[in-house]
């Protein structure tokens, strides 16, 4: 799934990036609080890698039906 669809304007793209940065900061803070510094950094990296993998695997609006990556 592309990060930005062709239907989004510049304001929507900017807000999407800002929301993702804000969520990443919150996830990093929670990870460090719950698992300590090293465990929190490792948990954050694993969590973000999983979220990016799921985001990449889900077909987007512009993909043809039945597309396989």
């Amino acid at each position: 799934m592309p990060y930005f669809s062709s239907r989004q304007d510049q304001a929507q793209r900017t807000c999407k990036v800002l929301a993702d940065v804000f969520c990443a900061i919150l996830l990093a803070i929670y990870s460090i609080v719950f698992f300590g510094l090293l465990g929190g950094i490792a948990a954050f990296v694993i969590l973000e890698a999983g979220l990016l993998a799921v985001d990449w695997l889900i077909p987007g609006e512009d993909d043809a039906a039945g597309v396989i990556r």
Side-chain angles (χ1 to χ4, degrees), residues 19-42:
D20 286 347
V21 168
F22 179 73
C23 289
I25 290 170
L26 281 178
L27 288 172
I29 290 171
Y30 289 144
S31 296
I32 291 171
V33 166
F34 288 122
F35 300 114
L37 185 61
L38 292 177
I41 291 171

Side-chain angles (χ1 to χ4, degrees), residues 14-69:
T14 302
C15 290
K16 184 174 183 179
V17 170
L18 289 176
D20 286 347
V21 168
F22 179 73
C23 289
I25 290 170
L26 281 178
L27 288 172
I29 290 171
Y30 289 144
S31 296
I32 291 171
V33 166
F34 288 122
F35 300 114
L37 185 61
L38 292 177
I41 291 171
F44 175 72
V45 168
I46 292 169
L47 179 64
E48 284 296 318
L51 290 173
L52 290 174
V54 168
D55 198 27
W56 186 77
L57 290 173
I58 295 174
E61 298 170 354
D62 298 334
D63 290 338
V67 67
I68 298 175
R69 290 188 183 214

